[in-house]
Amino acid sequence: MIPQELPIALRAFVDGPAAPAPHQRHHTMRAIGASDRVLVIDTETTTDASQQLRFGAYQLRIGDALAEAGFFYDPESLTGEEMALLQTEAGRLGMKLMPVAAFIEEVFYEATYERLGTLVGFNLPFDISRLAIAQAPARGKTMRRGFTFKLSTNRRWPRIQVKHLSQRAALIRFAMVKGSRAGRGMRRRRQRRAPRRGFFVDVKTAAAALTARSFSLATLADHLDVPSRKLHTDEHGGALTADYVAYAARDVQTTWECYVALRDRFARFGLATPLPRIYSEASLGKAHLRDMGVAPWREVQSDFDPKMTGIILSSYYGGRTEVRIRRQVREVAYCDFLSMYPTVCVLMGLWRFITTNGVRHCNATEEIRDFLETLTTENMQQPDTWRLLPVLVQIVPDEDLLPVRAKYGGETHYTIGLNLLMAPTPMWFTLADCIAATLLGGKPPKVLQAIRFEPMNRQASLCPVSILGNDAYRIDPVQDDFIRRLIELRNDIRAQEVEPNSDAETRRDTAQQAAKILANATSYGIFIELNPNEMSEPFQAQGYANGDEFGCTLTQVEEPGRYFHPLLGTLITGAARLMLALTERRIRDSDLEWVFCDTDSMAIARPPGMAEAAFHAKVKAIRDWFAPLNPYGGRAGGQSVLKLEDTNLAVWADGSHSRELAPLYCFAVSPKRYAMFNIAADGRPVLRKASAHGLGHLKDPYGDAAPPASIAPPLAGRASPEVSRWQHDVWVRIIQAALEGHP
């Protein structure tokens, strides 16, 4: 192999601009909570590029009681005939009818701003933007790169600011109203009036946070089993009809019922944080940490050396995703790790770092050199070894197999690959990466220095919490490893025998899902959260990377999240890559192959000519090797942390799994672009799991309701829930071409 020279990139830490010192300290009055009013809205628009508002529907609720329902409309977007139809249907349905300007003035702001009500919608930023009469870039540090929407010419009412945080979530709030600041007496007492920022719940966001899944309104209604399901229509953009008006009214009712189901589910958590402040699974995790009294690392150790933070971030690379066998149909055994990030957190004892008053570090160079020189795979089978992994190592890369961030193959952006690396400059990696390099490359890296990190004394403010308000699920952050207990609770809850399709089954499933989400939310993402913010003007900053300092001029700053702790972020992902490296080593030692790996999973390939029985026996031996690394007790204990996914099992026509293995095949194109499938008796591929990554630039050509008859639909339970019908059909065509020899 001919070496290739590539510039590589490292993560850096940059101190943001210092906030200007205030002339005097003020006390802000405590904000008032939401009232019992809820306004639910939904808008219908044109289907051209402008997506101009045509009409919309709303419900105003006081408590759960319906106080008012109605339609609002844009007079410029409807014909006279459509206006007459809308008036007739509003009367028939017992709903009010008003121009959108009147709705904004008399209902919208009265309920949500004046009466401190909650605004509810599905994909709420879109609905707000359709109600707007003007828009502009948002001002202020928090909302920069967002939008400000003007809904009314009445200066009494505030504009609404929207800033997208992710594909699933947006920060929504009322802007400050001119003249709303504190009066003279409050200013004399150095008090500030709490601004009315409003209460906004995007049902799409809340559903994703509470279920860790993405939904359309139709699929969410089905998932929550609400009484009023979303109606189907093909009339978007066409002339208004009675059916289409009924469709709009039903959407609001369905949205309300989904909101109630999610609101009640969230209430069972018993958290101090309200639902409008929950934007993701991570928000749930942070809320539990707050309720346990866990203070963020950057608060308890604000004087931590930024140069060391730069070293830590330089060792951060994220999850490993890779394809080894491209564009070939191969039979596989698909395995993944039991709660990968929580598991490595528990193995390394990182809960001690989360609840500590700070982190100290010491030199461990000789210890780590000796450890790597004598390392064997059996060392990594011992749980005690994993407690030694909170170490960063500086090495001189010399054809060592390491994660590398570079622009591969002429790409315009940096991606991460595992490569044989030679570099003239010493670089920092996690000890886990150095172990992986040793086991896969056959030699230890050249260690220049190593730094071991240890937690200091435990925080004094910690207190127990009860998951879902159930004292049977009580966790004490002082006595318990919170993450370990969540996984154990989840497995114990899943094992409960309840009557099918009963309320008890719903409660069980909700509880086990909550434990899963909390374990994942508190075992990785919040520790590496960095939120990019555009600055109003360029600023001079000090940067730190790989042990070096440098000055830079920036227009954007990455602001750390509340529980930002980059040491945990890099240790967790490094340990997860090590788990995959150990799997790869066991595969190689077993004379097997693999098609792809994806963060916590690996598709092990059957070599040509090997009998299936022998193949599956070898796979079982690989999985059993990881059994000693199971750190859990209860029903979660004893089993291997490397599991055989249900995708490997045959399924019945109703979608339920049998306990028999069925030949599973894989076709991988590139990282995160793969499909796994069975082959039916007639030679037709039956999709079992697939990725939609890389298809986001394409529009759904026909929707789930009108697929082509030439492609057989997925059998119940056989297609991935993340993949829509048209994406399923694309993969089926790709696989058919590969099976026919012309991929």
Side-chain angles (χ1 to χ4, degrees):
M1 183 180 297
I2 300 174
Q4 183 180 7
E5 272 196 21
L6 286 176
I8 64 176
L10 299 177
R11 258 279 180 192
F13 175 70
V14 177
D15 274 342
H23 294 295
Q24 55 184 347
R25 186 176 298 276
H26 287 79
H27 172 66
T28 300
M29 302 296 288
R30 177 175 294 182
I32 302 172
S35 70
D36 61 350
R37 280 172 166 75
V38 178
L39 179 64
V40 189
I41 64 170
D42 182 64
T43 60
E44 303 300 332
T45 70
T46 61
T47 55
D48 58 14
S50 70
Q51 295 187 292
Q52 176 72 26
L53 174 72
R54 300 179 73 198
F55 76 104
Y58 73 91
Q59 289 185 1
L60 177 61
R61 301 264 176 173
I62 300 178
D64 284 358
L66 180 62
E68 180 181 313
F71 295 108
F72 51 87
Y73 62 90
D74 181 357
E76 297 182 3
S77 298
L78 298 180
T79 66
E81 292 81 2
E82 289 174 326
M83 285 286 303
L85 173 71
L86 188 58
Q87 188 169 16
T88 299
E89 291 305 306
R92 186 180 66 82
L93 295 170
M95 299 172 68
K96 290 188 174 183
L97 179 64
M98 65 188 77
V100 63
F103 167 72
I104 294 297
E105 186 73 21
E106 300 170 14
V107 179
F108 185 92
Y109 277 113
E110 176 68 19
T112 62
Y113 188 74
E114 193 71 13
R115 301 282 186 170
L116 298 173
T118 301
L119 182 66
V120 173
F122 191 92
N123 195 12
L124 194 53
F126 177 81
D127 290 321
I128 291 171
S129 71
R130 297 310 89 193
L131 296 176
I133 58 176
Q135 63 87 19
R139 297 178 180 178
K141 183 178 178 182
T142 301
M143 302 302 291
R144 192 170 284 119
R145 299 184 74 184
F147 295 92
T148 295
F149 295 104
K150 180 180 179 181
L151 276 64
S152 172
T153 57
N154 187 340
R155 293 187 177 183
R156 177 187 177 192
W157 303 129
R159 303 185 183 205
I160 297 180
Q161 296 177 317
V162 177
K163 179 180 178 179
H164 284 278
L165 304 175
S166 68
Q167 291 182 338
R168 291 177 171 180
L171 179 60
I172 309 173
R173 71 181 193 182
F174 287 126
M176 295 286 287
V177 177
K178 188 175 182 179
S180 64
R181 64 194 194 95
R184 182 181 302 172
M186 292 182 67
R187 294 199 302 272
R188 188 168 53 246
R189 294 189 298 272
R190 295 184 180 180
Q191 292 180 330
R192 287 197 179 106
R193 188 188 304 277
R196 291 191 176 191
R197 294 302 194 183
F199 307 94
F200 303 88
V201 175
D202 187 340
V203 172
K204 179 179 180 180
T205 299
L210 295 176
T211 66
R213 287 179 53 187
S214 294
F215 292 95
S216 66
L217 181 58
T219 57
L220 178 61
D222 291 342
H223 177 77
L224 297 175
D225 196 23
V226 298
S228 303
R229 303 300 170 89
K230 182 178 172 67
L231 299 176
H232 171 70
T233 183
D234 292 321
E235 299 180 18
H236 293 295
L240 216 58
T241 66
D243 286 345
Y244 192 64
V245 174
Y247 163 87
R250 171 64 70 85
D251 265 11
V252 172
Q253 179 65 24
T254 302
T255 301
W256 161 253
E257 292 174 6
C258 289
Y259 165 74
V260 170
L262 295 169
R263 178 201 66 187
D264 293 348
R265 178 178 296 191
F266 176 74
R268 289 197 288 271
F269 282 96
L271 294 169
T273 303
L275 181 58
R277 300 293 179 263
I278 299 297
Y279 303 106
S280 64
E281 304 98 298
S283 295
L284 275 179
K286 293 176 191 176
H288 279 80
L289 293 179
R290 278 193 291 268
D291 281 10
M292 281 188 287
V294 176
W297 167 68
R298 280 168 57 84
E299 289 183 11
V300 299
Q301 198 173 16
S302 59
D303 60 347
F304 192 78
D305 183 2
K307 186 174 181 180
M308 182 60 70
T309 303
I311 289 174
I312 292 169
L313 277 173
S314 293
S315 69
Y316 173 75
Y317 288 94
R320 181 185 175 190
T321 61
E322 186 177 331
V323 166
R324 179 60 57 91
I325 302 175
R326 296 185 67 245
R327 300 173 67 84
Q328 296 180 33
V329 174
R330 295 294 299 270
E331 185 178 346
V332 298
Y334 180 55
C335 302
D336 77 346
F337 281 91
L338 170 67
S339 303
M340 173 73 97
Y341 287 156
T343 294
V344 298
C345 261
V346 175
L347 282 170
M348 291 186 287
L350 296 188
W351 184 245
R352 301 171 298 147
F353 289 81
I354 298 171
T355 57
T356 184
N357 275 313
V359 177
R360 57 174 171 259
H361 50 84
C362 61
N363 187 293
T365 305
E366 292 303 321
E367 171 197 347
I368 297 306
R369 282 174 180 161
D370 292 343
F371 173 77
L372 292 175
E373 287 287 349
T374 59
L375 178 69
T376 65
T377 54
E378 285 67 29
N379 293 140
M380 301 314 302
Q381 219 176 1
Q382 307 303 316
D384 288 347
T385 304
W386 290 74
R387 302 277 289 192
L388 306 176
L389 292 191
V391 174
L392 297 184
V393 186
Q394 187 187 44
I395 67 172
V396 179
D398 183 18
E399 294 192 39
D400 298 302
L401 200 57
L402 295 163
V404 182
R405 187 183 287 107
K407 295 179 181 179
Y408 297 103
E411 293 180 349
T412 58
H413 61 282
Y414 287 96
T415 54
I416 299 170
L418 195 66
N419 292 280
L420 290 173
L421 176 64
M422 296 180 68
T425 303
M427 295 172 60
W428 288 90
F429 292 91
T430 65
L431 176 56
D433 283 317
C434 294
I435 293 171
T438 303
L439 295 178
L440 294 179
K443 68 178 181 67
K446 182 180 179 182
V447 176
L448 294 185
Q449 59 176 315
I451 300 173
R452 178 172 298 285
F453 295 86
E454 296 175 344
M456 294 193 285
N457 58 310
R458 194 185 298 272
Q459 296 174 16
S461 59
L462 304 178
C463 57
V465 294
S466 295
I467 306 303
L468 291 175
N470 188 336
D471 286 341
Y473 308 149
R474 194 166 179 80
I475 300 178
D476 184 345
V478 175
Q479 303 296 328
D480 301 322
D481 182 317
F482 180 68
I483 299 167
R484 184 205 306 265
R485 287 292 297 128
L486 285 170
I487 298 298
E488 292 171 346
L489 281 174
R490 185 198 178 202
N491 281 272
D492 290 346
I493 294 167
R494 290 174 71 184
Q496 295 173 1
E497 294 186 3
V498 295
E499 184 179 345
N501 303 316
S502 65
D503 290 342
E505 183 181 55
T506 300
R507 289 193 298 271
R508 182 198 65 185
D509 293 345
T510 299
Q512 70 91 9
Q513 179 73 359
K516 176 184 177 181
I517 289 172
L518 287 178
N520 289 330
T522 53
S523 62
Y524 171 55
I526 60 176
F527 305 128
I528 205 68
E529 180 186 0
L530 288 165
N531 302 304
N533 271 320
E534 292 284 350
M535 308 306 293
S536 57
E537 57 185 29
F539 67 95
Q540 299 296 314
Q542 191 71 15
Y544 306 88
N546 205 39
D548 298 325
E549 300 181 35
F550 56 91
C552 53
T553 301
L554 301 175
T555 58
Q556 185 185 86
V557 63
E558 289 185 325
E559 294 187 350
R562 175 173 172 79
Y563 285 97
F564 179 69
H565 200 324
L567 177 64
L568 302 187
T570 195
L571 291 176
I572 291 163
T573 50
R577 293 191 297 272
L578 175 56
M579 281 290 192
L580 292 179
L582 289 166
T583 310
E584 182 179 355
R585 175 63 186 265
R586 301 308 302 171
I587 290 170
R588 189 171 70 189
D589 291 349
S590 302
D591 297 321
L592 300 179
E593 300 171 308
W594 57 278
V595 176
F596 74 86
C597 64
D598 188 355
T599 307
D600 63 351
S601 62
M602 190 164 273
I604 305 173
R606 179 166 72 95
M610 179 178 287
E612 280 203 11
F615 169 60
H616 286 292
K618 287 177 177 284
V619 171
K620 184 178 185 304
I622 292 170
R623 293 174 45 241
D624 289 347
W625 188 91
F626 288 91
L629 293 179
N630 187 323
Y632 306 113
R635 293 181 179 273
Q639 60 182 300
S640 172
V641 292
L642 184 61
K643 307 182 284 88
L644 195 67
E645 274 287 279
D646 286 349
T647 309
N648 298 276
L649 303 176
V651 291
W652 307 112
D654 64 358
S656 60
H657 290 93
S658 78
R659 303 317 301 171
E660 300 294 325
L661 292 173
L664 181 69
Y665 299 89
C666 180
F667 186 82
V669 178
S670 61
K672 290 191 176 294
R673 293 183 176 95
Y674 56 83
M676 285 177 282
F677 56 96
N678 303 128
I679 298 178
D682 60 1
R684 174 175 55 89
V686 180
L687 206 65
R688 297 296 302 277
K689 182 178 177 66
S691 60
H693 189 76
L695 297 176
H697 64 293
L698 300 176
K699 185 179 179 181
D700 186 343
Y702 42 73
D704 289 358
S710 59
I711 301 178
L715 295 180
R718 293 202 177 189
S720 301
E722 305 86 3
V723 175
S724 62
R725 174 60 198 267
W726 76 271
Q727 293 165 340
H728 162 273
D729 294 350
V730 168
W731 271 116
V732 167
R733 285 297 195 217
I734 291 171
I735 293 166
Q736 285 175 334
L739 291 172
E740 293 166 5
H742 51 87

